[in-house]
Amino acid sequence: MIHTDGAYQRVIDETRRWVEQAVIGLNLCPFAKAVQVKNQVRYAVSDATDDEGVLTDLESELMLISEAAPEDIDTTLLILPDALNDFYDFNDFEDYSERLLKRMRLVGDFQVATFHPDFQFADTNPDDIENCTNRSPHPILHILREDSIDRAVEAFADASEIYEKNIATMQRLGWEGWRKLMSQE
């Protein structure tokens, strides 16, 4: 079941703070500020505790966003505080997300990006600071509209350099700076 307030407000607030302080504040995603300012980001919390429940909630969110106007919901952060807490299980879940997009015939319309508290890029060590570019307070499946991505990439001349810029930002910030940033309220 999906929640957008109430008992899960703390989870939403933590995620929103991460978006504002890290994603937007460090400019890790130069496209995030516009949709955040326009209130086009849906923060949805799944109370699922297993893969099947997460998949059901992901399908519901994909249906909802596919039926919504982009000016109402441009992107959704499906937050999973009680599921897929092991990064390797979370990483494996990506295949299910892709299959669901195919089954729903939404490939080319939407994609699902991933964020996790223990995110680790391939060929990095767990304590490498660049992993923090994709580290969030809770596991998150980020549903993005392909059209929005295309428009953002067209508007941002050096989109292919975002990853390298983010690594440089994290290296300048360092672990002490990251911990301080994430502890601010």
Side-chain angles (χ1 to χ4, degrees):
M1 178 176 278
I2 301 293
H3 305 272
T4 57
D5 59 11
Y8 289 91
Q9 191 60 49
R10 178 189 57 79
V11 172
I12 293 168
D13 291 345
E14 290 168 352
T15 303
R16 187 182 306 272
R17 192 168 35 256
W18 165 73
V19 167
E20 291 170 356
Q21 291 177 321
V23 177
I24 294 172
L26 295 175
N27 201 29
L28 298 177
C29 177
F31 321 124
K33 185 175 182 178
V35 293
Q36 180 78 356
V37 169
K38 294 177 196 172
N39 292 317
Q40 295 171 320
V41 179
R42 176 173 159 81
Y43 291 86
V45 182
S46 167
D47 64 7
T49 58
D50 59 21
D51 291 4
E52 185 177 322
V54 171
L55 208 53
T56 297
D57 288 345
L58 178 59
E59 183 172 9
S60 295
E61 284 301 308
L62 283 164
M63 286 174 46
L64 186 131
I65 195 172
S66 68
E67 294 170 358
E71 51 275 3
D72 294 330
I73 304 173
D74 189 73
T75 190
T76 295
L77 297 175
L78 180 58
I79 311 161
L80 313 169
D82 300 316
L84 300 171
N85 287 303
D86 178 86
F87 176 67
Y88 296 104
D89 293 340
F90 178 79
N91 201 40
D92 291 343
F93 188 83
E94 221 171 324
D95 290 337
Y96 294 118
S97 298
E98 289 300 316
R99 282 188 237 152
L100 180 60
L101 284 169
K102 286 178 186 170
R103 184 172 59 76
M104 294 179 74
R105 295 188 171 107
L106 294 174
V107 173
D109 295 323
F110 295 93
Q111 66 176 254
V112 178
T114 57
F115 299 92
H116 193 277
D118 298 318
F119 192 94
Q120 182 179 347
F121 289 106
D123 301 324
T124 64
N125 293 313
D127 60 347
D128 288 348
I129 191 70
E130 60 260 31
N131 292 318
C132 291
T133 63
N134 284 52
R135 287 196 177 165
S136 55
H138 305 280
I140 296 173
L141 299 173
H142 183 188
I143 303 169
L144 300 126
R145 292 177 184 272
E146 291 278 356
D147 288 346
S148 295
I149 295 168
D150 293 343
R151 279 192 307 277
V153 168
E154 284 176 19
F156 192 79
D158 299 324
S160 62
E161 297 174 7
I162 293 171
Y163 177 72
E164 288 83 13
K165 181 193 74 62
N166 287 350
I167 290 173
T169 297
M170 296 312 297
Q171 289 171 341
R172 276 192 309 276
L173 187 65
W175 276 108
E176 184 177 329
W178 175 254
R179 287 185 188 105
K180 183 178 178 183
L181 180 71
M182 291 298 95
S183 68
Q184 293 176 358
E185 297 206 17

